[in-house]
């Protein structure tokens, strides 16, 4: 068994995107509110979104141990290893470990009930210079598993989790000097939400957000009038939500209420940042969020990078937030969502929320970074390789009835046959993910990489058409 390994100076600038050595123990457990995850088609397959980390095996001194609730189709593993120069050699440094348990619930919780699987993980460690756990999100379950295995976690301690809540985000933004929409935090009952709504008058449209939610599913937009909040017209982002169930969640998780930003034009950029175990911090990407749903606030995908009109402004605000979080002891990758509002002096960035976990923009960025071999240029906010910038558009939500019943291998072949696969020489094309959801749901995701924003967008649309016409 490995003893508790401090990161120390050796890993003070650790990046999971570009490790030089060691073992990544990848725990893609969706340790999040399960009521919201059940609303996502093929949610269990979202454990596959971190498979881009298999591309770190291009470094000869890196090993990967990848956990999953159910076995990952070998064709999917072959697909990712196919991006490497020597897939067979890389396979000798990869261990895919499955619980073979399709029941719903967080992977890590199930894993803690399986000492046989924990023993397999422990046996996989010790062959490299060090190991660390890379979780999708850190909960008490991940901390317990790390303690059992004697591994450090590349992620924030649960004692700091409140900093990533909607209320915590408002507190951090104030400390960092980053503007937000007017509102109130730390609301613990429907009565408190009612009082705060009255205090925000004469705002006629308000947003209520649960402290801890996923992909915008914990939001409600209220058109306020003189009546009690529950009698006003309300649009819940989750289809089966109502004030009775929402009030229960407010009491359980807490909430914030904010003015609803209706400025036009209004954009929704985001930023991805990291804080190393040594306390170094940087912004690694900005994105344009692609949103949908009844309130236009459900995450569907992203485009890289954010628009040039406000890219630098978003990056600057994100850096100030990262500085504050680093001072609080946060470690790992995290995302920040913003509004970009046009003013007479240009664009103004307003923080929307902080997500202290790996998010929806992480796997597209990781896939683009590792397949193209590019580096992030903070000066331009783009990925650059050989003097040429790279752009991409990504989705998690390509669903086509004609794909249902197909195998992942068939979809990979379809993309390649249409000339839409990844071209290793040009370093452009598609990188697929979420392939495990294809047979049952006809659903997958992909990242379309081009040498310009227009090329990436055009490739993305061609790929959507090809997948929807594949019958």
């Amino acid at each position: 068994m490995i003893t508790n390994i401090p990161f120390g100076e050796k890993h003070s600038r650790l990046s999971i995107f570009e490790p030089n050595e060691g073992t990544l123990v990848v725990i893609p457990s969706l340790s999040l509110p399960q009521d919201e995850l059940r609303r996502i088609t093929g949610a269990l397959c979202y454990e596959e979104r971190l498979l881009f980390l298999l591309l770190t095996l291009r470094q000869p001194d890196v090993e990967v141990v990848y956990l999953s609730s159910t076995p990952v189709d070998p064709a999917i593993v072959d697909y990712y290893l196919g991006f490497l120069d020597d897939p067979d050699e890389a396979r000798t440094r990869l261990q895919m470990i499955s619980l073979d348990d399709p029941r719903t619930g967080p992977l890590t919780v199930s894993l803690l009930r399986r000492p046989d699987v924990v023993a397999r993980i422990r046996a996989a460690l010790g062959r490299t210079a060090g190991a660390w756990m890379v979780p999708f999100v850190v909960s008490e379950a991940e901390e317990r598993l790390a303690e059992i295995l004697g591994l450090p976690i590349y992620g924030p301690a649960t004692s700091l989790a409140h900093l990533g809540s909607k209320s915590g985000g408002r507190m951090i933004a104030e400390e960092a000097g980053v503007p937000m929409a007017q509102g109130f935090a730390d609301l613990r009952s429907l009565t408190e939400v009612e009082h705060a709504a009255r205090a925000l008058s004469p705002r006629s449209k308000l947003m209520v957000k649960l402290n801890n939610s996923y992909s915008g599913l914990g939001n409600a937009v209220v058109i306020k009038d003189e009546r009690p909040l529950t009698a006003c017209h309300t649009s819940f982002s989750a289809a089966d939500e109502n004030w009775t169930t929402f009030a229960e969640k407010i009491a359980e998780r807490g909430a914030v209420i904010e003015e609803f930003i209706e400025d036009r034009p209004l954009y929704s950029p985001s930023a991805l940042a990291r804080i190393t175990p040594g306390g170094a911090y940087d912004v690694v990407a900005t994105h344009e969020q692609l949103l949908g749903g009844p309130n236009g606030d459900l995450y569907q995908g992203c485009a890289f990078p954010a628009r040039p009109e406000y890219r630098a402004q978003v990056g600057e605000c994100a850096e100030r937030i990262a500085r504050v979080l680093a001072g609080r002891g946060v470690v790992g990758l995290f995302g920040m969502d913003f509004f970009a509002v046009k003013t007479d002096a240009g664009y103004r960035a307003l923080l929307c929320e902080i997500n202290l976990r790996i998010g929806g923009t992480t796997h597209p960025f990781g896939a683009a970074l590792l397949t193209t071999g590019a580096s992030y240029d903070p000066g331009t906010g783009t990925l650059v390789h050989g003097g040429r910038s790279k752009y991409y558009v990504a989705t998690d939500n390509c669903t086509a009835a004609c794909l249902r019943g197909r195998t992942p291998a068939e979809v990979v072949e379809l993309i390649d046959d249409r000339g839409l696969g990844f071209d290793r020489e040009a370093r452009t094309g598609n990188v697929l993910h979420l392939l495990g959801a294809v047979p049952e749901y006809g659903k997958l995701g992909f990242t379309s990489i081009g040498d310009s924003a227009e090329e990436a967008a055009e490739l993305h649309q061609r790929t959507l058409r090809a997948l929807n016409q594949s019958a």
Side-chain angles (χ1 to χ4, degrees):
M1 172 178 176
I2 290 183
T3 57
N4 192 19
I5 305 170
F7 281 107
E9 288 188 19
K10 183 174 184 179
H11 297 303
S12 64
R13 300 192 63 83
L14 175 67
S15 166
I16 64 165
F17 295 121
E18 300 163 299
N20 293 319
E21 60 181 358
T23 301
L24 278 66
V25 181
V26 184
I27 312 288
S29 177
L30 302 179
S31 302
L32 297 162
Q34 297 299 295
D35 59 315
E36 293 174 11
L37 287 173
R38 283 191 287 271
R39 298 183 175 113
I40 297 176
T41 301
L44 188 63
C45 298
Y46 278 59
E47 291 180 358
E48 295 181 9
R49 291 199 300 180
L50 298 191
L51 283 170
F52 77 87
L53 289 171
L54 270 57
L55 303 182
T56 63
L57 292 168
R58 65 183 184 179
Q59 293 292 342
D61 294 324
V62 170
E63 298 192 4
V64 174
V65 178
Y66 199 100
L67 278 292
S68 61
S69 296
T70 58
V72 177
D73 188 321
I76 299 175
V77 177
D78 290 344
Y79 171 72
Y80 282 96
L81 295 181
F83 286 93
L84 305 178
D85 291 335
D86 191 343
D88 291 336
E89 190 281 327
R91 196 183 306 274
T92 66
R93 294 180 279 113
L94 168 66
Q95 295 200 50
M96 302 291 296
I97 299 178
S98 168
L99 273 63
D100 202 11
D101 182 359
R103 294 176 297 176
T104 57
L107 163 65
T108 312
V109 173
S110 300
L111 182 57
L112 290 171
R113 296 195 291 260
R114 293 285 301 274
D116 58 322
V117 180
V118 173
R120 287 184 62 191
I121 299 171
R122 186 177 291 120
L125 305 177
R127 295 187 296 174
T128 60
W132 55 88
M133 181 187 294
V134 181
F136 175 77
V137 61
V138 181
S139 72
E140 292 180 357
E142 280 74 31
E143 288 188 328
R144 175 60 181 149
L145 179 62
E147 181 183 359
I148 291 171
L149 293 172
L151 293 179
I153 303 177
Y154 192 75
T158 56
S159 60
L160 302 173
H162 65 287
L163 301 178
S165 69
K166 304 300 186 293
S167 293
R170 293 191 67 86
M171 176 184 68
I172 293 298
E174 183 176 358
E175 187 174 339
V178 172
M180 292 192 78
Q182 293 184 40
F184 296 92
D186 294 315
L187 307 175
R188 292 289 167 178
S189 68
L190 188 54
T191 300
E192 291 185 4
V193 173
E194 287 272 13
H195 289 322
R198 285 195 291 271
L200 278 172
S201 293
R203 306 293 180 183
S204 61
K205 203 169 186 180
L206 304 173
M207 173 82 84
V208 183
K209 299 189 287 189
L210 298 175
N211 260 342
N212 299 296
S213 60
Y214 186 71
S215 290
L217 288 168
N219 297 347
V221 175
V222 183
I223 299 177
K224 187 76 175 70
D225 54 34
E226 299 303 318
R227 297 174 296 170
L229 210 63
T230 53
C232 297
H233 177 76
T234 305
S235 176
F236 294 98
S237 294
D240 56 350
E241 198 77 83
N242 56 58
W243 273 114
T244 299
T245 57
F246 204 63
E248 293 173 353
K249 293 172 184 177
I250 291 172
E252 177 187 351
R253 305 183 205 172
V256 302
I257 188 169
E258 298 171 345
E259 62 174 324
F260 186 87
I261 306 295
E262 296 189 272
D263 299 58
R264 293 295 181 270
L266 178 67
Y267 300 101
S268 300
S270 68
L272 180 65
R274 64 184 165 198
I275 302 173
T276 73
Y281 59 88
D282 60 346
V283 176
V284 299
T286 64
H287 291 90
E288 207 66 43
Q289 294 188 92
L290 308 178
L291 304 175
N295 295 324
D297 58 357
L298 297 185
Y299 181 82
Q300 303 291 314
C302 64
F304 170 91
R307 293 171 181 265
E309 295 92 328
Y310 46 75
R311 188 185 306 161
Q313 175 81 352
V314 169
E316 180 186 340
C317 289
E319 186 173 9
R320 289 196 303 222
I321 292 168
R323 181 186 303 119
V324 172
L325 290 173
R328 296 291 190 99
V330 169
V331 171
L333 287 162
F334 62 98
M336 293 152 279
D337 297 340
F338 293 87
F339 293 119
V341 180
K342 188 169 178 54
T343 69
D344 291 339
Y347 277 88
R348 182 175 183 232
L350 302 176
L351 179 69
C352 182
E353 63 185 50
I354 299 170
N355 295 300
L356 285 186
R357 54 172 170 78
I358 287 175
T361 62
T362 307
H363 54 284
F365 177 75
L369 185 80
L370 292 169
T371 55
T372 65
S375 300
Y376 182 71
D377 179 0
T380 62
T382 62
L383 285 170
V384 179
H385 181 271
R388 177 173 291 179
S389 294
K390 298 294 180 180
Y391 302 77
Y392 59 83
V393 179
T395 180
D396 279 341
N397 292 279
C398 175
T399 303
C402 57
L403 294 178
R404 194 173 296 124
R406 300 281 188 97
T407 66
E410 288 173 335
V411 172
V412 171
E413 183 178 9
L414 165 69
I415 291 296
D416 287 343
D417 287 348
R418 300 289 177 89
L420 301 171
F422 188 78
D423 184 329
R424 294 184 65 184
E425 183 174 344
R427 300 173 192 261
T428 59
N430 281 298
V431 182
L432 309 179
H433 61 269
L434 210 62
L435 284 164
V438 168
E440 185 174 354
Y441 305 103
K443 178 179 179 178
L444 77 157
F446 54 93
T447 301
S448 305
I449 305 168
D451 287 332
S452 69
E454 294 76 17
E455 181 181 337
E458 192 273 336
L459 172 62
H460 197 74
Q461 290 302 314
R462 278 198 292 130
T463 307
L464 286 171
R465 289 195 297 270
L467 291 168
N468 278 280
Q469 297 170 0
S470 60

